[in-house]
Amino acid sequence: MIRAYLNAQNPQESMSLFFQMRLYEGIVLDSFSLSLVLQACGRSKNDWNGRRVHTHVWKLGFILDLFVQTALVEMYARFGTLDVAQRVFDEMYEPDLVSYNVMLAEYARVGEIELARRLFDKMPEKDLVSWNTLIHGYASTGNVGAARQLFNNSSERDLVSWSSMISAYAKNRQSNEALRLFHKMQLANVKPDKVTMVSVLSACGEMGALNMGKMIHEYIERNRIEVDVKLGTSLVDMYAKCGDITNSLEVFNKMHLRDVLTWSSMIIGLANHGFAELALDHFSKMMSEGFKPNDITFVGVLSACNHVGLVDMGWKYFKSMSDFHGIEHKVEHYGCMVDLLGRAGQLEEARELIRSMPFAPDAVVWRALLGGCRIHKNVEFAEEAALNLLQLEPQVDGNYVLLSNVYYEAKNWEKVMNVRKMMRGGSIQKVVPGSSSIEVDNGVHEFIAGDESHPKSKEIYKMLDEISDRLIVDILQDVDEHGVL
């Protein structure tokens, strides 16, 4: 029963049963029951009961038992006392593979990846669990390169190996690599599960790979994989990011269970594609069904107001975050409001809102104000915004271009030239080269300005040159015929 409650994620009942057992004479405790209750103490983070059980271990003579020692390692690591867990591990006479894997997993869980690597390297033997634990550890800390190196070096791979690596690429926005690896996974005849599907759908959404996303959806339906809240939300998000709002809504409406992330994904998707009224309607439905919105939800709500210029409603939702919902404003919410006010020509209000921020505004906020100044030709505010923006991002070419456009709209040619001189004098170039991607025959091709890594780069550049030549000829003919460019 102790194990049953532990497997059912109810460690409190496991501990309760153990201490009830201690009240009855004649019930002999063994290392198995002790290791189970130690695990229960660790998973419930009950430090006091954990130390009580540790005392029983000493009294009953199980302190050198390998199963019990391994459970103690896990328990103390779960308490956050990794030094005690390490001491227990070091006191083991001959730790076995399970003991090593438990210590390795706890290092990885708390982000001590260097300690995990050192332990991994000195392990006398390793199994698939060992490799997967360290791959997942590196992936969780964002070190995708190290995770991939381990993945490539492992002699054996299972579903966990593939899913961990695909998830790492997706979370670090290396979506093309995630999709490439998923294709290799299919060639290796490894059947994906829900976890894999969520990561692949995320990559499809980031890349705009709609056809691939549809194939994944068809696979889910064909194999009758249950669409739970997480998988359903991933489908809603993927379709929305790929611009297919119809399918996004269809998946959303078919879901029997939804959470705040599901609603937020749908609201943001609708807002980003110009369906502002429908987005706000979904927000109202979400509230009426008893869901509590979070900060992500309000990014979608404020974006919806921004898209259709609903200034008063934007203010209402912005103020309700702290006044009614108890949600602290983040920089994203200020950015939405500054953009909304700036586009509406309320530049003074936008500037005052920036000055009232409880933390330093980031480049997105200043860029939103600068964008509003360009629309309404307000040079004074634009210069203030640009000064702050260029302090934060002195090497980003787009900021100079935006300021130059403000001067251009105001017909201030001298300052236009001054901005261009600043760019030349500061050797300002594109920090991140322009990129685009296209989906052809269920494969995603990514193109980066100046890059020649694509296998058909020579043919691509040759075609671009031909297009440029034709455009020049057409322009010259137009000049010749009409006398104007």
Side-chain angles (χ1 to χ4, degrees):
M1 283 302 295
I2 292 174
R3 182 171 65 176
Y5 278 121
L6 190 62
N7 290 339
Q9 310 300 317
N10 193 347
Q12 297 289 349
E13 283 299 324
S14 294
M15 287 187 293
S16 178
L17 274 176
F18 173 80
F19 288 115
Q20 286 178 46
M21 283 172 58
R22 299 297 298 142
L23 299 174
Y24 295 97
E25 292 185 11
I27 297 179
V28 179
L29 292 174
D30 57 10
S31 63
F32 182 66
S33 56
L34 284 167
S35 65
L36 286 173
V37 76
L38 287 167
Q39 289 177 61
C41 293
R43 291 176 194 181
S44 62
K45 294 184 170 53
N46 193 318
D47 181 84
W48 187 71
N49 276 336
R51 295 185 186 280
R52 282 176 67 197
V53 178
H54 195 168
T55 303
H56 286 303
V57 167
W58 274 101
K59 288 180 178 178
L60 296 169
F62 286 100
I63 197 61
L64 297 178
D65 183 275
L66 193 57
F67 289 112
V68 173
Q69 286 178 313
T70 302
L72 282 167
V73 168
E74 181 184 332
M75 181 187 78
Y76 282 114
R78 293 295 177 102
F79 290 162
T81 50
L82 204 59
D83 55 332
V84 180
Q86 179 67 66
R87 193 158 63 244
V88 174
F89 180 80
D90 291 340
E91 288 172 356
M92 290 184 181
Y93 180 65
E94 282 187 354
D96 63 2
L97 180 58
V98 174
S99 306
Y100 271 106
N101 280 340
V102 167
M103 192 73 244
L104 185 68
E106 292 306 321
Y107 278 142
R109 185 180 62 82
V110 298
E112 292 286 354
I113 197 64
E114 292 305 319
L115 290 174
R117 185 59 196 248
R118 265 182 258 161
L119 183 66
F120 179 83
D121 288 339
K122 75 176 187 180
M123 287 172 67
E125 61 173 323
K126 305 174 184 73
D127 63 0
L128 188 55
V129 173
S130 317
W131 287 91
N132 285 345
T133 299
L134 197 57
I135 288 169
H136 180 71
Y138 274 120
S140 299
T141 57
N143 194 339
V144 183
R148 183 59 187 265
Q149 189 175 24
L150 275 171
F151 179 85
N152 291 340
N153 291 339
S154 59
S155 57
E156 185 184 359
R157 297 169 193 148
D158 65 358
L159 175 61
V160 175
S161 319
W162 289 96
S163 293
S164 294
M165 201 63 242
I166 291 169
S167 174
Y169 280 128
K171 286 178 180 176
N172 284 274
R173 302 209 163 182
Q174 298 183 37
S175 302
N176 220 347
E177 284 300 321
L179 296 181
R180 281 198 195 104
L181 195 61
F182 177 65
H183 181 61
K184 289 181 180 179
M185 177 182 176
Q186 291 176 302
L187 295 176
N189 291 319
V190 178
K191 190 175 181 180
D193 64 357
K194 287 183 194 176
V195 176
T196 322
M197 295 300 187
V198 168
S199 299
V200 175
L201 287 168
S202 172
C204 290
E206 288 295 325
M207 292 291 293
L210 180 58
N211 288 336
M212 174 72 83
K214 283 182 174 179
M215 284 176 58
I216 301 299
H217 194 181
E218 288 167 5
Y219 179 91
I220 291 167
E221 291 179 336
R222 191 168 58 250
N223 289 274
R224 296 182 179 178
I225 297 173
E226 181 195 1
V227 178
D228 58 11
V229 174
K230 196 165 187 179
L231 186 55
T233 302
S234 297
L235 283 165
V236 168
D237 189 54
M238 181 276 294
Y239 277 123
K241 285 180 177 175
C242 291
D244 191 344
I245 290 296
T246 302
N247 269 318
S248 184
L249 278 167
E250 186 178 332
V251 173
F252 178 85
N253 290 330
K254 283 182 178 177
M255 290 176 67
H256 300 296
L257 291 174
R258 305 173 186 133
D259 62 9
V260 65
L261 288 177
T262 316
W263 283 98
S264 299
S265 295
M266 193 70 258
I267 291 166
I268 290 171
L270 289 166
N272 287 342
H273 288 87
F275 298 97
E277 291 182 6
L278 196 53
L280 296 176
D281 182 50
H282 273 70
F283 178 70
S284 297
K285 287 179 182 176
M286 172 186 171
M287 297 290 292
S288 66
E289 291 187 21
F291 287 94
K292 185 178 173 64
N294 61 16
D295 58 302
I296 298 170
T297 317
F298 277 101
V299 170
V301 170
L302 294 173
S303 295
C305 295
N306 192 5
H307 276 288
V308 287
L310 299 173
V311 176
D312 291 341
M313 194 167 284
W315 271 122
K316 173 190 156 189
Y317 287 125
F318 184 79
K319 291 174 180 176
S320 75
M321 286 178 63
S322 54
D323 295 348
F324 184 73
H325 300 285
I327 300 171
E328 287 187 13
H329 296 114
K330 293 187 177 179
V331 70
E332 294 87 354
H333 305 112
Y334 281 100
C336 286
M337 279 305 300
V338 170
D339 196 29
L340 172 59
L341 293 167
R343 288 175 185 273
Q346 299 184 20
L347 298 172
E348 184 69 51
E349 290 84 349
R351 186 169 68 168
E352 287 306 312
L353 181 62
I354 293 173
R355 289 176 175 174
S356 72
M357 289 172 64
F359 40 76
D362 67 359
V364 174
V365 173
W366 288 116
R367 196 176 294 113
L369 179 61
L370 186 55
C373 294
R374 185 187 68 78
I375 294 169
H376 298 284
K377 302 180 178 59
N378 189 315
V379 176
E380 180 191 347
F381 283 17
E383 289 177 334
E384 179 186 340
L387 180 66
N388 286 280
L389 184 55
L390 295 178
Q391 285 178 347
L392 293 169
E393 296 180 344
Q395 294 298 314
V396 175
D397 66 311
N399 298 332
Y400 293 89
V401 172
L402 196 53
L403 178 60
S404 176
N405 288 342
V406 173
Y407 290 137
Y408 178 86
E409 294 286 346
K411 300 189 185 322
N412 192 328
W413 313 120
E414 183 182 349
K415 290 194 174 181
V416 169
M417 294 305 297
N418 287 341
V419 173
R420 291 180 181 176
K421 285 177 184 177
M422 284 172 62
M423 291 182 71
R424 285 196 296 271
S427 301
I428 307 300
Q429 297 177 349
K430 283 195 174 184
V431 178
V432 180
S435 66
S436 61
S437 59
I438 186 171
E439 191 177 16
V440 179
D441 296 331
N442 298 320
V444 179
H445 299 264
E446 187 175 24
F447 301 95
I448 300 172
D451 183 34
E452 296 182 358
S453 62
H454 194 278
K456 292 188 176 182
S457 62
K458 288 184 179 179
E459 293 93 323
I460 292 167
Y461 280 110
K462 184 179 178 182
M463 178 57 71
L464 282 172
D465 289 339
E466 287 180 14
I467 293 170
S468 298
D469 290 342
R470 289 181 187 179
L471 285 171
I472 292 169
V473 170
D474 289 342
I475 290 168
L476 290 174
Q477 285 176 348
D478 190 52
V479 172
D480 187 49
E481 289 174 10
H482 303 284
V484 291
L485 183 59

